Amino acid sequence: MTDASAQIAEMTFEDALKALEDIVRRLESGDATLDDSISLYEQGEKLRLHCQQRLDAAQARIERVVQGADGQPAGTQPFDAADR
């Protein structure tokens, strides 16, 4: 793992998202050279992947309350996005 990859792996979701937004702004400004743009894009892709992994992990931890026949909470079950 490179130093940059290790730093990204340690970032919170919020910090990684902010860094990704900064990269997008720099790329959209058109001020970066071609080589810098490529490097920024590569770093942005690593940040995007990190954010997606953090979101996937958070989603896997979400549980929803299951109601019994009487309308009272009867337990929990893992979150399933298909049930939305």
Side-chain angles (χ1 to χ4, degrees):
M1 187 180 295
T2 66
D3 287 342
S5 294
Q7 288 176 347
I8 290 172
E10 296 297 318
M11 291 178 130
T12 65
F13 172 81
E14 293 79 9
D15 289 341
L17 185 59
K18 183 179 181 324
L20 182 56
E21 289 170 343
D22 290 343
I23 286 173
V24 169
R25 271 193 290 281
R26 287 180 64 191
L27 288 171
E28 287 178 341
S29 76
D31 293 336
T33 65
L34 178 60
D35 288 338
D36 288 344
S37 294
I38 291 169
S39 294
L40 286 168
Y41 181 85
E42 290 170 343
Q43 184 180 6
E45 182 58 23
K46 290 175 187 173
L47 288 163
R48 184 202 63 78
L49 179 61
H50 176 71
C51 288
Q52 187 61 54
Q53 290 170 340
R54 297 295 300 254
L55 285 173
D56 291 345
Q59 181 176 339
R61 293 176 51 199
I62 295 173
E63 292 185 333
R64 65 182 173 114
V65 175
V66 178
Q67 291 183 346
D70 62 356
Q72 297 300 311
T76 62
Q77 72 183 52
F79 176 82
D80 184 1
D83 288 344
R84 286 197 200 175

